[in-house]
Amino acid sequence: MSESSLVQAVDHVALLPAYLAAGTAVLVLLVDLLAARPRATVVTAVTGAVATAVGAAAVGSGAERRTFCVGADCSYLFGGRAALVAALVALLVLGVLALSGPLLRAGNTPVGEYCFLLACSMTGGVVLGAAGDLITLIVAVEVLTLPLYVLVGLRRGSLASAEAAVTFFVVSVVATTLTLLGAALLYAVTGGLHLERLGTLLADEALLDLPLTTVAVTLVVAGLAFKVAAVPFHAWAPATYDGAPLPVAAYLSTASKLGGVIALLAVVRHALPPEVTGPVLALVAVLTMTVGNLVALRQRRTVRLLAWSSVAQAGYILAPLGALALTAEADARTAAYAAALAYAVFFVLLELAAFAGVVALRPAGADGGSLDDLRGAARRHPWVGAGLAFALIGLAGLPPGLAGLFAKVTVVRSLLGGDAGWLALVVAVNAVIGLAYYLRAAALLYAPAGDVTAPVARPTRAVAAALAVATVVALIVGFAPQVVLDLAGG
């Protein structure tokens, strides 16, 4: 082997968004160490998140860039879809930083560590969208997830927060172990790790019929299903969300879930045979949306309601992937992938707005409280209440929340195009069930306060701005859903 073949050319432009995200984490640490001023630390983190989003958009506006390649197989591919994921993760970090203002000012949370951990997690999310092999993919998922173990447990003196952190840690370790074991078995069967090469190798029926291949595929899908909080791998989510600080719960429900969806989409689209994964994902999608909606009907705590509804939303995201085994048409499969990613984008925007509304209406450092604590809140804070109500109605898929409406329409259309009419019917029925708790929560905001005396905080400017921006972006995306679909399918 010649010396030149051992040296890989590195495309630093393709890596620019990852450099910006990782540089933000390092810079935050240095500013906190040298300046020791919380405001300067937060400003550094905000600036880095904005730079990462802008860098991702700039690099993704051109042709797809590939680096760390061996022949035709590349470990890092940055195009329009990767840019969408990277920019969205950076903007979610920016939104969570805005929501964290009251928490950080309360003085119980170390600002430097908090911003550093968020920036580290952002780095994993940026790399995840461009991952071209299983090792890069799994490492990126873990870089996205590892900082959250600490962030979840940052509510000092809270037993619920400590329990949530331990639960999340244990479940994530199990999920990672399953995924790594599945990846190792896939390598043993095929001798490859690059996603596109795995897809080519597993098209061989001789390999596909091996029991070891079935075990490997099952383990990879199960491990990533934990990250998405899909049934039956969902039990950790409600307790973890409810025990975490509210901004961290918002990040878990948006960026962390988006990371799991991106990882699952990558392996299902490029590496794993759809005739094997399709029926499994169809069953998981039906169970996830049904269990999530039915349990959400009984919830009386705000964050647990959002957590269980998030489980149900994961079912809608996975539904298009369940139709892959039923169609051999390339266009129908491409539409299914695009529908799943587009739904995830619509969902995280509305979910962030919902959490922003809850943070705005709760005292600094408090948990999400019960739904009764928000009774009549929109009468006292009309604009904040309207933003939260809009997010809830959008998650239900009703106008004027057009982003949520088009998200569900997109999924149903992809299912019908993939000859999965029965699954489209299940989605429609579950969407109707979801109306009950979303509309109940939205109506409670405008109900007479009665004897309820729970404190409703006056929202800070940063939180109100985050709610306003998330609402406006969700409105704009709702009027231009095809832009998201085009980027998702790119």
Side-chain angles (χ1 to χ4, degrees), residues 35-426:
R37 295 177 59 187
R39 184 181 295 273
T41 303
V42 173
V43 169
T44 302
V46 167
T47 304
V50 172
T52 301
V54 172
V59 176
S61 62
E64 183 181 69
R65 308 184 75 99
R66 295 173 170 237
T67 189
F68 301 122
C69 298
V70 178
D73 300 322
C74 298
S75 295
Y76 196 89
L77 305 88
F78 202 93
R81 187 169 52 252
L84 173 65
V85 174
L88 187 57
V89 169
L91 293 176
L92 288 172
V93 168
L94 190 62
V96 170
L97 284 170
L99 299 185
S100 303
L103 177 70
L104 298 179
R105 275 195 294 273
N108 294 324
T109 302
V111 176
E113 289 86 338
Y114 187 90
C115 294
F116 170 73
L117 291 169
L118 273 179
C120 289
S121 182
M122 176 175 68
T123 305
V126 169
V127 173
L128 179 59
D133 66 61
L134 276 177
I135 299 303
T136 304
L137 186 80
I138 294 172
V139 170
V141 170
E142 289 311 301
V143 173
L144 172 65
T145 305
L146 279 171
L148 300 180
Y149 305 153
V150 182
L151 288 173
V152 167
L154 275 183
R155 278 171 55 195
R156 293 176 179 173
S158 171
L159 180 60
S161 182
E163 290 176 348
V166 172
T167 300
F168 186 39
F169 172 75
V170 172
V171 169
S172 291
V173 167
V174 172
T176 303
T177 303
L178 290 178
T179 308
L180 284 172
L181 180 57
L185 294 179
L186 277 177
Y187 181 74
V189 171
T190 63
L193 285 172
H194 291 88
L195 299 179
E196 293 180 353
R197 175 170 289 277
L198 280 172
T200 302
L201 293 171
L202 291 175
D204 184 351
E205 291 187 5
L207 284 179
L208 198 57
D209 291 338
L210 291 175
L212 191 59
T213 304
T214 303
V215 173
V217 170
T218 302
L219 289 173
V220 171
V221 172
L224 295 177
F226 271 105
K227 304 293 186 182
V228 184
V231 175
F233 313 107
H234 67 290
W236 63 272
T240 301
Y241 289 15
D242 202 21
L246 275 176
V248 177
Y251 190 78
L252 275 170
S253 188
T254 54
S256 179
K257 184 175 286 289
L258 177 67
V261 169
I262 297 304
L264 197 55
L265 276 173
V267 296
V268 170
R269 179 174 190 178
H270 297 295
L272 305 183
E275 55 268 27
V276 175
T277 59
V280 174
L281 290 174
L283 176 61
V284 169
V286 170
L287 289 174
T288 301
M289 68 180 80
T290 304
V291 171
N293 279 321
L294 291 178
V295 180
L297 288 172
R298 302 181 55 191
Q299 299 307 305
R300 292 295 179 266
R301 288 188 59 80
T302 307
V303 172
R304 282 187 177 266
L305 173 71
L306 291 175
W308 281 107
S309 74
S310 175
V311 170
Q313 299 286 350
Y316 301 137
I317 295 171
L318 296 178
L321 304 183
L324 295 179
L326 303 177
T327 179
E329 297 181 9
D331 290 343
R333 289 186 173 179
T334 300
Y337 298 125
L341 180 54
Y343 193 104
V345 172
F346 292 137
F347 162 70
V348 297
L349 291 173
L350 291 167
E351 187 80 349
L352 182 65
F355 270 100
V358 175
V359 172
L361 295 173
R362 295 290 294 158
D367 60 14
S370 68
L371 290 172
D372 284 334
D373 292 337
L374 300 179
R375 182 183 294 273
R379 293 170 176 258
R380 284 162 280 180
H381 299 290
W383 289 108
V384 173
L388 178 53
F390 168 81
L392 293 171
I393 291 171
L395 288 169
L398 293 177
L402 295 180
L405 175 63
F406 280 117
K408 288 183 170 57
V409 169
T410 300
V411 166
V412 171
R413 185 175 63 182
S414 72
L415 292 174
L416 294 176
D419 298 326
W422 67 273
L423 193 50
L425 180 61
V426 174

